[in-house]
Amino acid sequence: MFTLGDRTFTSRLLTGTGKFSGTKHMLAALQASESELVTLALKRVSLNDPADDLFSPLKAAGFQLLPNTSGACTAEDAILAAHLAREAMGTPWLKLEIHPDPRYLMPDPIETLKAAKALAREGFIVLPYIHADPVLCKRLEDVGCAAVMPLAAPIGSNLGLETREFLRIIIEQAQVPVIVDAGIGAPSHAAAAMELGADAVLVNTAIATAADPVAMATAFKLAVIAGRMAYEAGLPGQHQQAQASSPLTDFLLST
Amino acid sequence: MFTLGDRTFTSRLLTGTGKFSGTKHMLAALQASESELVTLALKRVSLNDPADDLFSPLKAAGFQLLPNTSGACTAEDAILAAHLAREAMGTPWLKLEIHPDPRYLMPDPIETLKAAKALAREGFIVLPYIHADPVLCKRLEDVGCAAVMPLAAPIGSNLGLETREFLRIIIEQAQVPVIVDAGIGAPSHAAAAMELGADAVLVNTAIATAADPVAMATAFKLAVIAGRMAYEAGLPGQHQQAQASSPLTDFLLST
Amino acid sequence: MFTLGDRTFTSRLLTGTGKFSGTKHMLAALQASESELVTLALKRVSLNDPADDLFSPLKAAGFQLLPNTSGACTAEDAILAAHLAREAMGTPWLKLEIHPDPRYLMPDPIETLKAAKALAREGFIVLPYIHADPVLCKRLEDVGCAAVMPLAAPIGSNLGLETREFLRIIIEQAQVPVIVDAGIGAPSHAAAAMELGADAVLVNTAIATAADPVAMATAFKLAVIAGRMAYEAGLPGQHQQAQASSPLTDFLLST
Amino acid sequence: MFTLGDRTFTSRLLTGTGKFSGTKHMLAALQASESELVTLALKRVSLNDPADDLFSPLKAAGFQLLPNTSGACTAEDAILAAHLAREAMGTPWLKLEIHPDPRYLMPDPIETLKAAKALAREGFIVLPYIHADPVLCKRLEDVGCAAVMPLAAPIGSNLGLETREFLRIIIEQAQVPVIVDAGIGAPSHAAAAMELGADAVLVNTAIATAADPVAMATAFKLAVIAGRMAYEAGLPGQHQQAQASSPLTDFLLST
């Protein structure tokens, strides 16, 4: 169990709603993941167009919604999107994403900090998506963010923990939960993030674009639990020299 | 489910019995792992000294035993050990280990192939522990091995899939099950091996030397299931360029 | 040759002056490196204490000095240090370092951008040391920095290109030179940075703490040249499948 | 300088002759590399067809030729090729390659050892191309090989030191020179192999398929020298924690 803002969650797997082939498949996968916190872009809330609306079915299925500001290029954009999202979805929870770069969708540290400060002050529960930058993470914590969401690798790259050394430092220093976001392309990546001591991970692309999203969601669910258990159970260190696991049957040599 | 020799197994996690702090802890961890096939050194069978004997309690707990020839430096040593093990444990199953190098315990390809050929001909169900050498794996398959057990990294190193590119080739070419052995130090490593398409993994050190071996065994159990599910569910590829997971809220830009 | 600020340099290896066992050894190593641009902390300029002074001998040896603001925790600190350095060393060149975190010395993106903007406006030739954050790099370029200096790994870690995927993006997007700084622990790391297309690298710890700093400096000099040549000569891509380099002597098979 | 068989070489860069766009370009690149030992397939010796012959121009240019048995699938094939090569090229030097697998061209440990033993006994200077298998390397040394040539990655893959942990062990244990072969795709890879303590590297594909093979050959030449110098100069270790390279200007904090 871990606590984010004013809520305690059992699942350490956060999920997203992009790239699924349809709402029905999405819901089935999210339910299989046992995720409790699900992010969706403001654009996906179409109160007037039920066919394109994700809000109502997700709400009905009992998920805690985490609106995101995907598409925002400045703090101003993001603050506007946050207000619209709060109104449309009735929640102060917010995944703050500001990425002026359309090609790699890398987050902007300056605008993100500016928006986070303003929105936290207004009472939003702010979860900022950012580079795996240890100093920036401390600053976001200082302005009142409920968690930090450093990236593992570029969004959608499926490359895994490219930022491992920096995640290690962020986790060591953070006083708020650390949720590893972006680039997690396989259950082994999610497990590795949890083994490092991350509090949670967010996975979207790898589930949504799998040949079988329900099975993949289940796989991620198990991997996140496994990684957390291993972290708590005390992983042994790495060695460059072999260490026999079976006792050597030395008497053989003298027979 | 996968088939090895004449048996079908539900669990794809093989375990070992070395390095545990005591028999009771070992049994608890192995049971938590839900492993069905457990390797033990011939030396651990002390029919005359019950206090030091692992055979009886493992047998009583229902595990399929997989005697190993740990300590053998030559094919001759290993064949002798195999015969003693078959007699002592009443099973033709055999994990064939021949490592003349006492420091890194690296397997010997020449002696291993020689012993495997002889033992397979005698009716042993031979599972050879070997380097991640694709040609050697085909040759071991050709002489009748029931599976191949390429190493991920030096035994006890906990370094994970150092041999990833070669495991990929071995798995692509093998007609017998591929069980990744040695060097798997964390559940994320086990999941990664399964995601590559391995049929199973063998884990010993990382469970036995964890602060909480029962929890660690459970974590490995889940990770192996997760990795296999992901493999079957169709993992998406890796990209160097970002791919947005949330649709960009482009209207924001024009407001 | 590459141009930084108003100067053109032949050498793409920048060096530092910390951690050497003495001034004489330092000078010998820097000369062997053929580096033209050498960074030193303001503290190392002791006009009143010649024994502890690096400024005069470096100047006499013909190096272009690059004062740094090591130790600064805020933009204010750094701006003060920049002014003192300009006065003491008579140069507007500045390696801007702001790291509030004493343990990992990670750079602060917010304060660095703030100080960079102010100092560039004042006419300093600003080379900021920063995280490998593509958006921050663009912003530093926009406020007038002469180059960007993203880190490869934590300072002094010798871990090499941990930030490879992000350096690739930074290099692709930058309009100013990209100088990879921090974490380069071996000539192979320096070559790899150059092969990615970096304009230069800065190496200090790995040279200063080598058993033989002069030889190590020479090794880095050659590796930087090699990496750049390879980048310009067009490195072939990577493949998962083998490609024979020798033509197979197929007639053998039919003899 | 290092000694192989009965000769001492200044250059630690071995090269190959495959995949070049023409003999003239090949010669220019090999000369730029300053390589002294050059491998070529038996097939490339066409005494009757001067247009397709590499032997005469290489010989005329002063290279020590290293015929290889590329294409051999068995020890028998390789021994036949060795005899033909010795006769055609007038040299007992031999790069022994036996790869029954046409897709990945992985070497066969069993047949290679068998052929190496026979050929060494006949007076050949045998350099076997093999998997990075530490025990196999010792055995090849024991039967009289002049060096061992473990692979870094699949031939032509350009993936670099995939077998790093095993190369480290091989180098530690070998009494004959260790020449890293196959998979070296960039000067940084060659430097890294030398930094590990390899005696030499063999590079072919990365030079031959570069846009500018002469420049690439020069880059590899420098990288190999750099890597060796760094190895001899004593590379410092890696750390997970930062270590400041500039002394922190602490007085700033109190101003």
Side-chain angles (χ1 to χ4, degrees):
Chain A
M1 301 229 301
F2 82 115
T3 299
L4 261 184
D6 55 1
R7 257 200 72 171
T8 296
F9 295 91
T10 303
S11 167
R12 291 172 180 275
L13 174 58
L14 281 65
T15 51
T17 54
K19 296 191 184 174
F20 283 95
S21 59
T23 303
K24 203 174 135 193
H25 287 104
M26 182 199 76
L27 279 175
L30 298 185
Q31 275 160 335
S33 76
E34 295 184 14
S35 179
E36 295 164 297
L37 190 54
V38 175
T39 191
L40 78 169
L42 176 54
K43 197 183 188 177
R44 306 307 290 273
V45 184
S46 302
L47 298 178
N48 303 325
D49 179 2
D52 197 36
D53 176 46
L54 294 186
F55 174 73
S56 308
L58 287 168
K59 197 75 188 167
F63 294 107
Q64 164 84 54
L65 300 183
L66 179 63
N68 68 56
T69 63
S70 180
C73 292
T74 63
E76 204 177 25
D77 285 351
I79 291 169
L80 169 60
H83 290 159
L84 293 173
R86 183 169 55 181
E87 193 171 339
M89 304 195 217
T91 175
W93 286 71
L94 188 75
K95 182 175 178 216
L96 179 60
E97 301 186 18
I98 305 180
H99 33 211
D101 157 23
R103 179 162 182 158
Y104 294 104
L105 298 171
M106 288 282 151
D108 183 321
I110 311 296
E111 296 293 303
T112 302
L113 180 63
K114 194 177 4 168
K117 192 174 175 178
L119 291 167
R121 208 178 278 159
E122 288 186 42
F124 281 92
I125 295 171
V126 182
L127 287 74
Y129 162 62
I130 42 165
H131 209 76
D133 175 332
V135 175
L136 182 61
C137 285
K138 286 309 283 181
R139 286 179 156 277
L140 286 161
E141 180 182 318
D142 290 346
V143 300
C145 289
V148 288
M149 303 188 73
L151 54 77
I155 291 186
S157 70
N158 294 326
L159 288 170
L161 300 196
E162 293 286 327
T163 57
R164 179 187 292 266
E165 288 305 314
F166 303 97
L167 293 174
R168 196 192 298 281
I169 296 172
I170 290 168
I171 290 166
E172 180 186 314
Q173 299 182 332
Q175 304 291 326
V176 293
V178 176
I179 303 169
V180 178
D181 189 15
I184 292 183
S188 59
H189 303 160
M194 300 307 296
E195 288 163 7
L196 274 183
D199 294 276
V201 296
L202 191 151
V203 180
N204 183 348
T205 301
I207 293 174
T209 66
D212 180 346
V214 167
M216 193 60 83
T218 309
F220 271 100
K221 174 190 74 176
L222 296 175
V224 168
I225 295 171
R228 182 67 188 184
M229 287 189 81
Y231 172 71
E232 291 177 350
L235 277 168
Q238 299 186 336
H239 312 282
Q240 280 192 343
Q241 198 162 323
Q243 315 215 358
S245 50
S246 282
L248 306 182
T249 309
D250 47 356
F251 73 90
L252 275 173
L253 307 181
S254 54
T255 49
Chain B
M1 302 229 299
F2 82 115
T3 298
L4 262 185
D6 54 2
R7 257 200 73 171
T8 297
F9 295 91
T10 302
S11 167
R12 291 172 181 274
L13 173 59
L14 282 66
T15 51
T17 54
K19 295 191 185 174
F20 282 95
S21 59
T23 303
K24 205 175 133 192
H25 287 104
M26 183 198 76
L27 280 175
L30 297 184
Q31 274 160 337
S33 76
E34 295 185 14
S35 179
E36 294 165 296
L37 189 54
V38 174
T39 190
L40 77 170
L42 177 54
K43 197 185 187 177
R44 305 306 292 273
V45 184
S46 302
L47 297 177
N48 303 325
D49 179 3
D52 197 35
D53 176 47
L54 293 186
F55 173 72
S56 309
L58 286 168
K59 196 76 188 166
F63 294 107
Q64 164 84 54
L65 299 183
L66 179 63
N68 68 56
T69 62
S70 179
C73 292
T74 63
E76 203 177 26
D77 285 352
I79 291 170
L80 169 59
H83 290 159
L84 293 173
R86 181 168 57 180
E87 192 171 339
M89 303 193 218
T91 176
W93 287 71
L94 188 76
K95 183 176 176 216
L96 179 61
E97 300 184 19
I98 306 181
H99 33 212
D101 156 23
R103 179 162 182 157
Y104 294 104
L105 298 169
M106 287 284 148
D108 183 322
I110 311 296
E111 296 292 305
T112 301
L113 181 62
K114 191 172 16 164
K117 191 173 177 179
L119 292 167
R121 205 177 281 159
E122 288 187 43
F124 281 90
I125 296 169
V126 182
L127 288 74
Y129 162 63
I130 42 166
H131 209 77
D133 176 332
V135 176
L136 182 61
C137 285
K138 286 310 282 180
R139 286 179 157 276
L140 287 161
E141 182 182 316
D142 290 345
V143 300
C145 288
V148 288
M149 302 187 74
L151 54 76
I155 292 186
S157 70
N158 294 326
L159 288 170
L161 300 196
E162 293 286 327
T163 57
R164 179 186 292 266
E165 288 305 315
F166 304 97
L167 293 174
R168 195 191 301 279
I169 296 172
I170 291 168
I171 290 166
E172 180 186 314
Q173 299 182 332
Q175 304 291 325
V176 292
V178 176
I179 303 169
V180 178
D181 188 15
I184 293 183
S188 58
H189 303 161
M194 300 307 296
E195 287 162 6
L196 273 183
D199 295 276
V201 297
L202 190 151
V203 180
N204 183 346
T205 301
I207 294 174
T209 66
D212 180 346
V214 167
M216 193 61 83
T218 309
F220 271 100
K221 175 189 74 176
L222 297 174
V224 168
I225 295 171
R228 182 68 189 183
M229 287 187 82
Y231 172 71
E232 291 177 350
L235 276 168
Q238 300 185 337
H239 312 282
Q240 280 192 344
Q241 198 161 322
Q243 315 216 357
S245 49
S246 283
L248 306 182
T249 310
D250 46 356
F251 72 90
L252 275 173
L253 308 181
S254 54
T255 51
Chain C
M1 301 231 299
F2 81 114
T3 299
L4 261 185
D6 54 2
R7 258 200 73 170
T8 296
F9 295 90
T10 302
S11 166
R12 291 173 181 273
L13 173 59
L14 283 66
T15 51
T17 54
K19 296 190 183 174
F20 282 94
S21 60
T23 302
K24 204 174 134 192
H25 287 104
M26 183 198 75
L27 280 174
L30 297 185
Q31 274 159 336
S33 77
E34 295 183 15
S35 179
E36 294 164 296
L37 189 53
V38 176
T39 190
L40 77 169
L42 176 54
K43 196 184 188 177
R44 305 305 292 273
V45 185
S46 303
L47 297 176
N48 303 324
D49 178 4
D52 196 36
D53 176 45
L54 294 186
F55 173 73
S56 309
L58 286 169
K59 196 76 188 165
F63 293 108
Q64 164 83 54
L65 299 184
L66 179 62
N68 68 56
T69 62
S70 179
C73 291
T74 64
E76 204 177 25
D77 284 352
I79 291 169
L80 169 60
H83 290 160
L84 294 172
R86 182 168 55 180
E87 193 173 337
M89 303 194 216
T91 176
W93 287 71
L94 188 76
K95 183 176 177 216
L96 179 60
E97 302 185 19
I98 306 180
H99 33 212
D101 157 23
R103 178 161 183 159
Y104 294 103
L105 298 169
M106 287 284 148
D108 183 322
I110 312 295
E111 297 292 305
T112 302
L113 180 63
K114 194 176 6 168
K117 191 173 176 179
L119 292 165
R121 205 177 283 159
E122 290 186 42
F124 281 92
I125 295 170
V126 182
L127 289 73
Y129 162 62
I130 41 164
H131 208 78
D133 175 332
V135 175
L136 182 61
C137 285
K138 286 310 282 181
R139 287 178 156 276
L140 287 160
E141 180 182 317
D142 290 345
V143 300
C145 289
V148 288
M149 303 188 72
L151 54 75
I155 293 186
S157 70
N158 295 326
L159 288 170
L161 300 196
E162 292 286 328
T163 56
R164 177 185 293 268
E165 287 305 314
F166 303 97
L167 292 174
R168 195 191 299 281
I169 297 172
I170 291 168
I171 290 166
E172 180 187 314
Q173 299 183 332
Q175 304 292 324
V176 293
V178 176
I179 303 169
V180 177
D181 187 16
I184 292 182
S188 59
H189 302 161
M194 300 308 295
E195 288 162 7
L196 273 183
D199 294 276
V201 297
L202 190 152
V203 179
N204 184 346
T205 302
I207 293 173
T209 66
D212 180 346
V214 167
M216 192 61 82
T218 309
F220 271 99
K221 175 189 73 176
L222 297 174
V224 168
I225 294 170
R228 182 67 189 183
M229 287 187 81
Y231 172 72
E232 291 175 353
L235 276 168
Q238 300 185 337
H239 312 281
Q240 280 192 343
Q241 199 162 321
Q243 314 217 358
S245 49
S246 282
L248 305 182
T249 309
D250 46 355
F251 73 90
L252 274 173
L253 307 182
S254 54
T255 49
Chain D
M1 300 229 301
F2 82 113
T3 299
L4 261 185
D6 55 1
R7 257 201 72 171
T8 296
F9 295 90
T10 302
S11 167
R12 292 174 180 274
L13 173 59
L14 283 66
T15 51
T17 54
K19 296 190 185 176
F20 282 95
S21 59
T23 302
K24 204 175 135 193
H25 287 105
M26 183 199 75
L27 279 174
L30 297 185
Q31 274 159 336
S33 76
E34 296 184 14
S35 179
E36 295 164 296
L37 189 54
V38 175
T39 191
L40 77 170
L42 177 54
K43 196 184 188 178
R44 305 306 291 273
V45 185
S46 302
L47 297 177
N48 304 325
D49 178 3
D52 197 36
D53 177 45
L54 294 186
F55 173 73
S56 310
L58 286 168
K59 197 76 189 167
F63 294 108
Q64 164 83 54
L65 299 183
L66 178 63
N68 68 56
T69 62
S70 181
C73 292
T74 63
E76 205 175 26
D77 285 351
I79 290 168
L80 168 60
H83 290 160
L84 294 173
R86 183 167 56 180
E87 193 170 340
M89 303 194 217
T91 175
W93 287 71
L94 188 76
K95 182 174 178 219
L96 179 61
E97 299 185 20
I98 305 180
H99 34 211
D101 157 23
R103 179 163 182 157
Y104 294 104
L105 298 170
M106 288 283 148
D108 183 321
I110 312 295
E111 296 293 303
T112 303
L113 180 63
K114 194 175 10 168
K117 191 173 176 179
L119 292 167
R121 206 176 280 159
E122 288 186 43
F124 281 91
I125 295 170
V126 182
L127 288 74
Y129 162 61
I130 42 165
H131 208 78
D133 176 332
V135 175
L136 181 61
C137 285
K138 287 309 283 180
R139 284 178 158 277
L140 287 161
E141 180 183 316
D142 290 345
V143 301
C145 289
V148 289
M149 303 189 73
L151 55 77
I155 291 186
S157 69
N158 295 326
L159 288 170
L161 301 195
E162 292 287 327
T163 57
R164 178 186 292 267
E165 288 304 315
F166 303 98
L167 293 174
R168 195 192 300 281
I169 297 172
I170 290 168
I171 290 166
E172 180 187 313
Q173 298 182 332
Q175 304 291 325
V176 293
V178 176
I179 303 168
V180 177
D181 187 16
I184 292 183
S188 59
H189 302 161
M194 300 308 295
E195 287 163 6
L196 273 183
D199 294 277
V201 297
L202 191 152
V203 179
N204 184 347
T205 300
I207 293 174
T209 65
D212 180 345
V214 168
M216 192 61 83
T218 310
F220 271 100
K221 174 189 76 175
L222 298 175
V224 167
I225 296 171
R228 181 67 188 184
M229 286 188 83
Y231 172 72
E232 291 176 351
L235 276 168
Q238 300 185 337
H239 312 282
Q240 280 191 344
Q241 198 162 322
Q243 316 216 355
S245 50
S246 282
L248 306 182
T249 310
D250 46 357
F251 74 88
L252 273 174
L253 308 181
S254 53
T255 50

